[in-house]
Amino acid sequence: MAYFNYSKIKEFRIKNKLTQKDLSQSLGISNRAVSKWENGLSFPSSQHIFELSKIFGVPMDIFYSKNSSNIQKPKITGMSSITELYKIGRGPSSSHTIGPEKACKEFLKEYKEADFFKAVLCGSLAKTGKGHGTDTVIKKTFSPYKCQIEFDFNKTDLPHPNTMYLLAFKGKTQIAEKQVQSVGGGSIVWQDEKATPEKIIYPHTTFSDIAKYCTQHNIRIWEYALKYEDNNFKNFMQKIWTQMKDTIHKGLESEGILPGGLELQRKAKTLYESQHIDETAQTRENRMVCSFAFATSEQNASGETIVTAPTCGAAGVLPAVLYYYQKKNGFTDSEIVNALITAGIIGNLIKTNASISGAECGCQAEIGSACAMAAAALAELLDLNFDKIEYAAEIAIEHHLGLTCDPICGLVQIPCIERNAVAAMRAINAVNLSSFLWSTRKISLDSVIKTMKETGHDLSSPYKETSEAGLAKIKL
């Protein structure tokens, strides 16, 4: 078996006297992507390996080693807080909307005396800002103050692909200007600051180790999380659930056309209200769950407030399943929060050992992860044992392997909204299967997460949030 040797990229880049910026421009990707390759945090697709071999003038197989022991791999020492996974903000993108929204809120708070603002979007924020609604979110955040948006497509000397400048004015006088970078996951870095790495608080990085620990201490997965999170964690999670419900409620009330130019009609309200006299219980369940998933996803597509679970594009899966079962079975908010915590551990495992980024591993990393989180949450809610929780999450990921991220026009609408609904139903099916067949399973959740990562790296880059292939090629 051949193993990718990430150290070769840096070795040949330096040998060819290329900077990371030079190499990224040659490949048409960000500096950050090259940096992650060189540090073993992600790996290039087969197409990028082919392009690297041409740039460096070496055969493709030089990037592989037959012995994995010869390759130094970054050591995973633990997992960060679940509060880094669940984030409240405006959709449809954590880097293009939640990050900028956070920056604008901080800037507005610092310059309360201002009466006019300006935001200059550069790099990727300029190129895809319209499609992701970055400009709309910024205007909503600064409202009721007026904010002028400018798109700078020519500025290249950027510290990060997602860079913008915020300016504050009092009357006609400029009183402040700050540069800020949206570095991913809703996190931001102001000029002259360094990105703060996520603090590791969990010592375990595999489901098998967590399950073993929980069994030894006779606790559930959510109780395991409480041992490592801070005293305010339960309050934080209650706010997360409250926001999830609020998003569903608003999505079910909203009608009209989604922004972006596809002229896509909102469907959540129609689904929710389209009850038939002779409707079966199964049909009603499908309709209700899907309406809740549509409600959240349509709010996300409209740039309204959602919770990343684990991402903006997959935000509708988890709340749809939990909200339906709360309404159906009368589970308390406290029980739902415990299920959300269990889902957070599953999401953390995927984030730590694979990826939750569509740009890195395709839609399997977003919708697949969300489905696994929802399946684990529902299994927890139904008080299933560790084996059944694991099997439910494993089924959910396994049957999303290879799913491409190919939104039409780069908008988080087609096929993203429907995928949320389908994944919510699949999560419920995964739990049903696991409750019957758990004793026959052959594959562990940890092994499937590893497979997801490998599959994601093998996916061609046009199928990973670039709008260059798949459904994205369809002209509407």
Side-chain angles (χ1 to χ4, degrees):
M1 180 177 179
Y3 299 87
F4 186 78
N5 191 340
Y6 67 88
S7 64
K8 290 292 183 182
I9 298 178
K10 185 174 182 179
E11 176 186 330
F12 287 116
R13 177 176 63 76
I14 293 175
K15 194 182 234 183
N16 284 268
K17 298 181 179 179
L18 296 172
T19 65
Q20 286 186 345
K21 183 178 180 180
D22 294 333
L23 186 56
S24 67
Q25 289 179 341
S26 298
L27 294 168
I29 59 176
S30 68
N31 296 5
R32 189 161 61 108
V34 173
S35 176
K36 289 176 77 173
W37 290 351
E38 293 186 353
N39 288 287
L41 299 177
S42 69
F43 298 93
S45 65
S46 56
Q47 179 62 35
H48 280 143
I49 294 173
F50 173 69
E51 292 173 1
L52 285 169
S53 70
K54 291 197 297 181
I55 292 171
F56 297 144
V58 296
M60 288 179 65
D61 58 11
I62 205 166
F63 293 102
Y64 295 91
S65 169
K66 291 184 178 180
N67 187 355
S68 63
S69 63
N70 294 334
I71 303 173
Q72 289 186 330
K73 299 178 181 178
K75 186 178 180 181
I76 300 175
T77 57
M79 299 193 300
S80 59
S81 171
I82 291 173
T83 60
E84 297 291 340
L85 189 75
Y86 293 122
K87 292 184 178 179
I88 298 173
R90 290 186 180 274
S93 166
S94 57
S95 60
H96 285 64
T97 51
I98 292 182
E101 178 192 28
K102 182 179 180 181
C104 292
K105 283 183 176 179
E106 292 184 9
F107 193 71
L108 182 59
K109 185 177 180 180
E110 185 173 356
Y111 298 100
K112 295 179 181 177
E113 70 276 21
D115 50 30
F116 173 71
F117 295 91
K118 179 189 289 186
V120 182
L121 307 182
C122 306
S124 178
L125 290 181
K127 293 177 181 177
T128 63
K130 280 287 185 184
H132 282 92
T134 308
D135 54 340
T136 302
V137 165
I138 290 174
K139 287 182 178 180
K140 285 181 179 179
T141 306
F142 278 117
S143 179
Y145 297 100
K146 184 179 178 182
C147 179
Q148 179 182 335
I149 309 293
E150 292 184 3
F151 296 86
D152 188 339
F153 301 99
N154 300 316
K155 193 171 181 61
T156 57
D157 55 334
L158 301 172
H160 189 276
N162 295 328
T163 297
M164 68 178 186
Y165 295 84
L166 296 176
L167 294 79
F169 298 84
K170 181 70 174 177
K172 294 183 179 181
T173 304
Q174 180 179 319
I175 60 175
E177 178 179 347
K178 281 193 172 184
Q179 177 205 86
V180 61
Q181 305 152 42
S182 179
V183 295
S187 300
I188 60 172
V189 176
W190 293 97
Q191 189 172 13
D192 299 326
E193 289 183 353
K194 290 185 178 179
T196 304
E198 293 180 358
K199 182 181 178 182
I200 299 299
I201 66 169
Y202 292 101
H204 306 102
T205 58
T206 64
F207 185 88
S208 60
D209 284 345
I210 291 174
K212 182 179 179 181
Y213 180 90
C214 290
T215 300
Q216 290 174 345
H217 293 80
N218 193 30
I219 57 175
R220 303 290 292 183
I221 294 175
W222 63 268
E223 293 175 303
Y224 161 81
L226 295 182
K227 282 182 171 289
Y228 296 101
E229 298 285 355
D230 64 28
N231 294 331
N232 193 48
F233 178 62
K234 266 282 185 124
N235 290 333
F236 170 84
M237 291 303 301
Q238 181 58 58
K239 289 179 182 177
I240 291 298
W241 177 234
T242 299
Q243 181 57 61
M244 285 181 169
K245 289 190 292 183
D246 184 60
T247 300
I248 290 175
H249 295 159
K250 289 181 178 177
L252 291 176
E253 295 169 357
S254 301
E255 297 178 281
I257 303 296
L258 294 174
L262 292 181
E263 298 298 313
L264 194 65
Q265 182 77 38
R266 281 179 176 262
K267 302 179 181 69
K269 186 175 183 180
T270 300
L271 273 172
Y272 184 69
E273 296 178 347
S274 298
Q275 182 176 358
H276 294 289
I277 297 175
D278 59 347
E279 187 173 58
T280 65
Q282 183 179 19
T283 299
R284 184 180 189 280
E285 176 174 285
N286 290 348
R287 183 171 59 80
M288 288 290 99
V289 173
C290 289
S291 71
F292 300 151
F294 267 78
T296 296
S297 298
E298 288 171 354
Q299 287 296 95
N300 177 65
S302 298
E304 299 299 335
T305 304
I306 51 90
V307 176
T308 57
T311 63
C312 290
V317 183
L318 179 57
V321 172
L322 293 182
Y323 188 61
Y324 172 74
Y325 270 85
Q326 183 175 54
K327 288 175 70 68
K328 177 185 178 183
N329 294 348
F331 289 109
T332 66
D333 282 347
S334 180
E335 290 172 316
I336 296 292
V337 164
N338 293 341
L340 277 175
I341 294 172
T342 297
I345 290 294
I346 299 301
N348 241 355
L349 287 169
I350 299 170
K351 176 184 173 184
T352 301
N353 296 290
S355 175
I356 57 172
S357 167
E360 184 176 358
C361 285
C363 197
Q364 59 169 2
E366 296 201 36
I367 286 292
S369 298
C371 188
M373 290 170 65
L378 179 55
E380 172 61 53
L381 203 56
L382 299 176
D383 202 32
L384 302 187
N385 63 33
F386 293 129
D387 285 330
K388 293 178 181 179
I389 292 174
E390 178 181 11
Y391 191 27
E394 179 260 302
I395 291 172
I397 295 178
E398 182 182 353
H399 296 288
H400 280 97
L401 290 176
L403 186 62
T404 57
C405 183
D406 51 355
I408 292 177
C409 294
L411 298 170
V412 191
Q413 296 182 18
I414 303 175
C416 317
I417 295 174
E418 287 180 355
R419 280 185 182 173
N420 275 261
V422 172
M425 292 307 305
R426 183 170 287 183
I428 295 172
N429 292 336
V431 174
N432 290 334
L433 277 176
S434 72
S435 65
F436 290 117
L437 305 176
W438 64 274
S439 62
T440 66
R441 69 185 181 93
K442 300 290 185 180
I443 304 174
S444 70
L445 174 60
D446 294 323
S447 62
V448 171
I449 291 175
K450 179 182 177 182
T451 301
M452 176 202 278
K453 181 178 182 179
E454 294 171 348
T455 304
H457 293 159
D458 287 339
L459 281 176
S460 178
S461 59
Y463 292 93
K464 293 190 283 189
E465 207 176 1
T466 60
S467 293
E468 296 175 349
L471 292 173
K473 293 173 67 177
I474 298 175
K475 305 299 181 182
L476 296 182

